[in-house]
Amino acid sequence: MTLYSRVIGALRPQKRLNRSFAVSFMLFGLLLGFGAFMVLPLIYAVNNAFKPLDELFIFPPRFLVRNPTLENFTDLMVIMGNSWVPFTRYIANTLLITLVGTAGHILLASAAAYPLAKFKFPGSSILFKIVVLSLMFSPHVTAIPNYLVMSQLGWINTQAAIIVPSLAFSLGLFLMKQFMEQIPDALIEAAKIDGANEYRVFWQIVMPNVKPAWLTLMILQFPALWGTDGGSFIYSENLKTLHYALSQVIQGGIARAGVGAAVALLLMTVPILLFIISQSSVIQTMATSGMKE
Amino acid sequence: MVQIHNTTEPALQGLAGGPLKESRLAQLWRDIKKSKHYYFMMSPYMIIFFLFTVIPVVVSFGLSFFYFNMLETPRFIGWENYSRLLLGDDVFMIALKNTFLFAVITGPLSYIACFLFAWLINELSPFVRSLMTLVFYAPSISGNVFFIWLIVFSGDSYGYLNGFLMKIGVLLEPIIWLQNEKYILPIIIIVQLWLSLGTSFLAFIAGLQTVDQTLFEAGAMDGIRNRWQELWFITLPSMRPQLMFGAVMQITASFAVAEVSIALAGFPSVNYAGHTVVTHLMDYGTLRFEMGYASAIATILFAIMLGTNMMTQKLLRKVGE
């Protein structure tokens, strides 16, 4: 199907009863209007990264780039290459935090979700209730005691301070448990009859079957860690993250505007690409995300 | 077999008196031993979860009754932090007012927007549906790109809004948007709304796709006349579990506004116009090191978030009745 026919097909709503064309038209106008509001700032961010300096400061400001250039990206490498902590260091730090944090979270949350989803044992329902309750407040509430715990453990100024708490993010366990409930009990029992122990059932039967759910945890966890500045825990320069580097570049003022736009593009592209890849899995998982009354 | 065991045993042991409790404990212990593999599998997650989420909430509540500055040992002062916070702290009152304003405006608006857009997108063909999902979801995962809005609201004539308004002749001089008390709050609300189509939006899209299509045909037979009736009597009740989940996500986010306020309006903002409970918490927790006082702020925030969530869930149970 060509793109054109796809778009036209989209404007013709699915065959449903009780639809008035006028209202459909209005509602889709609304959708397009707000869609533009959502996407224009992002398109602007992309364009900015490719603008040469004279276009960035043109008056009146222009939305789209006229003469795209890669200057901002090469400048970024030059500026960062001259600072005493090389730019690649910031990228490496961010990658370490993001990859370990995401992979660890998927593994720990799945291991905890499997017993909760499939078996009843003493304490199982109360543990799950506590996790659901913790969805209802933001991490800001626990920031101060967290800091105290970190300093007791001697983790201040280490990457563990960012990675370890993120391993037990309550939304991950919640989604994983809801998704695992769909796995047929017969499948697990059959594996047990064939002689597999709990760990083997988890690793060889359950985990491959919940692939959409772990792609979802990835897309939820990745942007959060990718964009972290590590602000309250990390102080030494060579442990800092990409987001921190970005805020420093921006503080460099007008001359750095183009470079700042380049870093911004770098920061936003990765999570968005990941979402495009995993979109259908994410939707599949979210279908089970409901809370029972 | 277990059933019979349970119904007969209490009657027998009720006569004997003592052993009832003991045998229940013994059974519990048997169950625990039988499930030891499950506990083992959960332990890494649960240890970290308790260490960094559950215990901190309890510690925070405890600390709120102390004076503690990280250097001296904590000194018990009873309700003093709370009375100072609620009676003597004008800035906290501004923060509380702003937070409630954010919650009352961005909470319901973002919740309705999540549902409305998901509902509209749901009627599109699969390809355009996934494209539009991406369009609406992208801002919330694009990290800290919201500083793009700084350029829109920039105070000189290079700012997009100023440039535009001057071009069409509404303004003669640029307005310094982010330094003007009148505009700070509305601007943060707009940007917060832009960012707010996140997890719950995805949950709604997914929920809509799982609604049983035969219900709509049945509804049409039973006299449902337009899409609004369809929405209220069929769609909304069918996806009540997702609506509950979405409400929790949106409420929690709308009470926790802080990063956007700091990035756009500065910390502290002009006359505390963009100050929220969370920025107040950061002020005392990370700048002034009054940990006891900051813990009292955190405890109040915790209570507000929990209370609102419970209330909203009660309300949502009435949907479609």
Side-chain angles (χ1 to χ4, degrees), chain A residues 176-203:
Chain A
M176 205 38 124
K177 188 234 171 201
Q178 304 296 79
F179 197 79
M180 281 178 176
E181 280 179 349
Q182 292 183 312
I183 296 174
D185 288 335
L187 194 65
I188 294 169
E189 270 154 35
K192 279 191 183 164
I193 289 166
D194 285 347
N197 63 18
E198 297 294 349
Y199 305 99
R200 210 154 147 200
V201 172
F202 168 68
W203 194 245

Side-chain angles (χ1 to χ4, degrees), chain A residues 10 18-20 24 38 44 59 62 119 122 137 144-146 150 169 173 198-199 279 283 287 290-291 293, chain B residues 37-39 45 52 56 123 128 130 133 157 160 194 206 224-225 227 230 240-242 244 294 302 309 317:
Chain A
N18 306 321
R19 286 288 183 272
S20 103
S24 290
M38 299 305 279
Y44 174 78
F59 182 83
R62 213 177 268 141
F119 306 102
F137 58 85
I144 289 166
N146 257 349
M150 293 293 175
F169 173 50
L173 175 65
E198 297 294 349
Y199 305 99
Q279 193 176 24
I283 301 292
M291 267 157 79
E293 293 159 55
Chain B
H37 294 296
Y38 304 143
Y39 294 112
Y45 180 94
F52 295 105
E123 299 209 351
V128 184
S130 46
T133 307
S157 47
Y160 273 70
W194 182 72
I224 280 184
R225 277 190 311 279
R227 72 176 89 211
E230 207 172 70
R240 199 176 291 155
Q242 277 87 14
M244 294 268 195
F302 176 72
N309 266 307
R317 274 179 208 140

Side-chain angles (χ1 to χ4, degrees), chain A residues 3 6-7 9-10 12-14 16-20 23-24 27-28 30-32 34-35 37-39 41-42 44-45 48 51 57-63 105 108-109 111-112 114-116 119 121-123 127 130-131 133-138 140-142 144-150 153 155 164-165 167-171 173-175 192 198-199 202 219-220 223 227 243 246 250 260 264 267-268 271-272 275-276 279 282-283 286-291 293, chain B residues 28 31-32 35 37-42 44-46 48-54 56-57 59-60 63 68 70 116-117 119-125 127-130 132-139 141-142 144-145 147-149 151 157-160 163 190 193-194 197 199 202-203 205-207 209-210 213 216-217 220 224-228 230 240-242 244-245 248-249 252 256 258-259 278 281-282 285 291 294-295 298 301-302 305-306 309-310 313 317:
Chain A
L3 186 65
R6 273 175 164 165
V7 172
R12 207 180 302 128
Q14 283 169 12
R16 275 270 188 84
L17 301 158
N18 306 321
R19 286 288 183 272
S20 103
V23 180
S24 290
L27 287 177
F28 291 111
L30 195 78
L31 187 66
L32 287 182
F34 279 98
F37 168 72
M38 299 305 279
V39 82
L42 296 177
Y44 174 78
N48 247 12
K51 279 180 188 166
F57 294 101
I58 210 163
F59 182 83
R62 213 177 268 141
F63 191 80
H105 174 63
L108 295 198
Y114 166 58
L116 288 177
F119 306 102
F121 50 90
L127 282 174
I130 294 174
V131 172
L133 203 66
S134 77
L135 288 175
M136 297 184 191
F137 58 85
S138 82
H140 300 289
V141 169
T142 55
I144 289 166
N146 257 349
Y147 187 88
L148 299 177
V149 172
M150 293 293 175
L153 291 170
W155 285 359
V164 177
L167 297 180
F169 173 50
S170 50
L171 184 59
L173 175 65
F174 177 77
L175 291 176
K192 279 191 183 164
E198 297 294 349
Y199 305 99
F202 168 68
I219 191 60
L220 293 176
H243 175 232
L246 168 69
I250 291 174
L267 276 177
M268 70 180 245
I272 290 179
F275 179 67
I276 293 174
Q279 193 176 24
V282 174
I283 301 292
M286 286 295 171
T288 59
S289 66
M291 267 157 79
E293 293 159 55
Chain B
L28 182 70
D31 283 349
I32 290 177
S35 334
H37 294 296
Y38 304 143
Y39 294 112
F40 183 72
M41 284 171 100
M42 293 201 313
Y45 180 94
M46 287 300 167
I48 298 172
F49 178 69
F50 272 77
L51 196 58
F52 295 105
T53 304
V54 180
V57 170
V59 169
S60 190
L63 261 184
F68 181 40
M70 305 272 289
L116 183 71
F117 295 133
W119 183 58
L120 290 175
I121 287 170
N122 190 47
E123 299 209 351
L124 302 170
S125 68
F127 173 76
V128 184
R129 189 197 296 153
S130 46
M132 289 309 274
T133 307
L134 178 67
V135 163
F136 282 92
Y137 185 62
I141 45 166
S142 55
N144 305 65
V145 173
F147 69 81
I148 288 291
W149 291 91
I151 301 161
S157 47
Y158 290 113
Y160 273 70
I190 291 171
L193 284 173
W194 182 72
L197 295 169
T199 324
L202 295 179
I205 287 186
Q209 288 181 19
T210 54
Q213 293 300 313
F216 292 108
E217 283 161 35
I224 280 184
R225 277 190 311 279
N226 53 42
R227 72 176 89 211
W228 310 112
E230 207 172 70
R240 199 176 291 155
Q242 277 87 14
M244 294 268 195
F245 172 74
V248 169
M249 294 284 111
T252 310
E259 279 83 11
V278 174
L281 173 68
M282 288 176 172
M291 295 307 186
S295 296
L301 183 63
F302 176 72
M305 282 175 167
L306 227 53
N309 266 307
M310 298 295 179
Q313 295 208 10
R317 274 179 208 140

Side-chain angles (χ1 to χ4, degrees), chain A residues 257-271:
Chain A
V259 180
V263 184
L265 182 66
L266 217 60
L267 276 177
M268 70 180 245
T269 311
V270 179

Side-chain angles (χ1 to χ4, degrees), chain B residues 65-321:
Chain B
F65 297 101
F66 286 86
Y67 174 82
F68 181 40
N69 58 9
M70 305 272 289
L71 297 172
E72 304 161 56
T73 44
R75 177 158 50 81
F76 184 76
I77 54 169
W79 291 96
E80 209 174 283
N81 282 326
Y82 288 98
S83 64
R84 181 175 148 211
L85 193 58
L86 296 171
L87 301 172
D89 189 343
D90 292 339
V91 178
F92 180 66
M93 286 302 140
I94 298 174
L96 206 57
K97 189 198 82 194
N98 287 341
T99 304
F100 272 108
L101 266 174
F102 283 127
V104 167
I105 298 170
T106 62
L109 269 184
S110 65
Y111 186 64
I112 292 169
C114 280
F115 184 80
L116 183 71
F117 295 133
W119 183 58
L120 290 175
I121 287 170
N122 190 47
E123 299 209 351
L124 302 170
S125 68
F127 173 76
V128 184
R129 189 197 296 153
S130 46
L131 189 74
M132 289 309 274
T133 307
L134 178 67
V135 163
F136 282 92
Y137 185 62
S140 72
I141 45 166
S142 55
N144 305 65
V145 173
F146 56 76
F147 69 81
I148 288 291
W149 291 91
L150 277 176
I151 301 161
V152 176
F153 293 109
S154 165
D156 50 30
S157 47
Y158 290 113
Y160 273 70
L161 193 60
N162 278 331
F164 175 72
L165 291 176
M166 282 161 76
K167 201 173 157 194
I168 61 167
V170 176
L171 289 180
L172 289 176
E173 276 177 16
I175 293 181
I176 309 173
W177 298 103
L178 294 165
Q179 304 291 319
N180 189 324
E181 282 178 59
K182 263 199 300 191
Y183 301 119
I184 289 177
L185 213 57
I187 288 174
I188 298 172
I189 287 175
I190 291 171
V191 177
Q192 194 68 38
L193 284 173
W194 182 72
L195 282 168
S196 69
L197 295 169
T199 324
S200 27
F201 173 66
L202 295 179
F204 291 167
I205 287 186
L208 283 162
Q209 288 181 19
T210 54
V211 175
D212 185 359
Q213 293 300 313
T214 56
L215 285 178
F216 292 108
E217 283 161 35
M221 306 270 256
D222 285 344
I224 280 184
R225 277 190 311 279
N226 53 42
R227 72 176 89 211
W228 310 112
Q229 287 184 349
E230 207 172 70
L231 179 67
W232 182 253
F233 291 111
I234 299 172
T235 313
L236 286 176
S238 307
M239 49 183 296
R240 199 176 291 155
Q242 277 87 14
L243 290 176
M244 294 268 195
F245 172 74
V248 169
M249 294 284 111
Q250 294 310 99
I251 290 170
T252 310
S254 64
F255 274 109
V257 177
E259 279 83 11
V260 174
S261 165
I262 292 172
L264 296 180
F267 179 51
S269 44
V270 176
N271 267 334
Y272 296 107
H275 209 55
T276 67
V277 174
V278 174
T279 58
H280 203 56
L281 173 68
M282 288 176 172
D283 189 4
Y284 281 91
T286 59
L287 296 180
R288 306 187 202 206
F289 292 108
E290 291 195 37
M291 295 307 186
Y293 194 63
S295 296
I297 300 172
T299 304
I300 288 179
L301 183 63
F302 176 72
I304 294 173
M305 282 175 167
L306 227 53
T308 318
N309 266 307
M310 298 295 179
M311 241 166 58
T312 312
Q313 295 208 10
K314 245 184 198 158
L315 261 167
L316 276 177
R317 274 179 208 140
K318 296 202 160 67
V319 163
E321 270 177 6

